[in-house]
Amino acid sequence: MSNRTLAIIKPDAVEKNVIGEIIAKITQAGFKVLGVKLTKITPAIAGSFYEVHKERGFYGELIAYMTSGPIVPIALERENAVEEFRKLIGATDPAKAEEGTIRKLYGAGIEANAIHGSDSDENAANEIAFFFAKSELVNINS
Ligand code: UDP
Ligand code: MG
């Protein structure tokens, strides 16, 4: 099992000025930050990141949203990182997310839901490599 996952603080949460609060929730849950950057992505890059969703009705809007302002990709490490991080962020729709989860606390709606979390170990590795060169990551355990 891989111990890494990729988070992205999405444009709505950056706009709300809660980058610090969200990173505090993440580190309080036992995750270590291996890499973090503030960046703005182009529609081509967002389209490539969300390629798996290209047949879904919300794809075009999702790309517009993810390119509407800066985002904060964060490479994270923790035991059972993917599953534990999905629990910490809560359901895709903040209205359905459990109390205390990051999406419940900071998400505005099913699209502008404050944060991304990888959904499998394989995707986590690919998504971390998508945003970070190996030389940009701190190797805490190696
Ligand atoms: N999304 C949306 N409408 C939907 C479902 C998803 O706008 O009906 C957006 C939302 O920002 C979500 C992202 O597309 O986080 C990716 O969707 P996915 O189903 O992978 O949800 P996640 O894994 O982020 O919970
Ligand atoms: Mg997903």
Side-chain angles (χ1 to χ4, degrees), residues 10 50 53 56 58 62 65 86 90-92 103 110-113 115-117 119:
K10 295 184 177 182
Y50 279 118
H53 294 312
R56 293 174 76 180
F58 59 81
L62 177 60
Y65 158 61
R86 297 286 302 197
T92 306
R103 283 171 165 168
I110 192 162
E111 178 179 79
N113 58 4
I115 192 154
H116 167 85
D119 64 4

Side-chain angles (χ1 to χ4, degrees), residues 60-83:
E61 280 180 32
L62 177 60
I63 299 318
Y65 158 61
M66 288 300 287
T67 57
S68 66
I71 60 172
V72 182
I74 311 170
L76 295 168
E77 189 161 273
R78 205 209 110 132
E79 202 181 296
N80 199 16
V82 166
E83 194 182 329

Side-chain angles (χ1 to χ4, degrees), residues 1-7 23 25-36 73-85 88 118 121 124-125 128 132 134 137-142:
M1 181 188 302
S2 154
N3 293 329
R4 292 181 172 193
T5 193
L6 181 83
I23 292 178
K25 290 283 292 180
I26 293 170
T27 54
Q28 281 157 14
F31 291 86
K32 295 226 159 101
V33 175
L34 305 182
V36 58
I74 311 170
L76 295 168
E77 189 161 273
R78 205 209 110 132
E79 202 181 296
N80 199 16
V82 166
E83 194 182 329
E84 290 299 327
F85 194 71
L88 179 67
S118 308
D121 288 346
I128 288 172
F132 296 95
K134 278 219 171 82
L137 295 173
V138 175
N139 282 302
I140 291 170
N141 291 323
S142 56

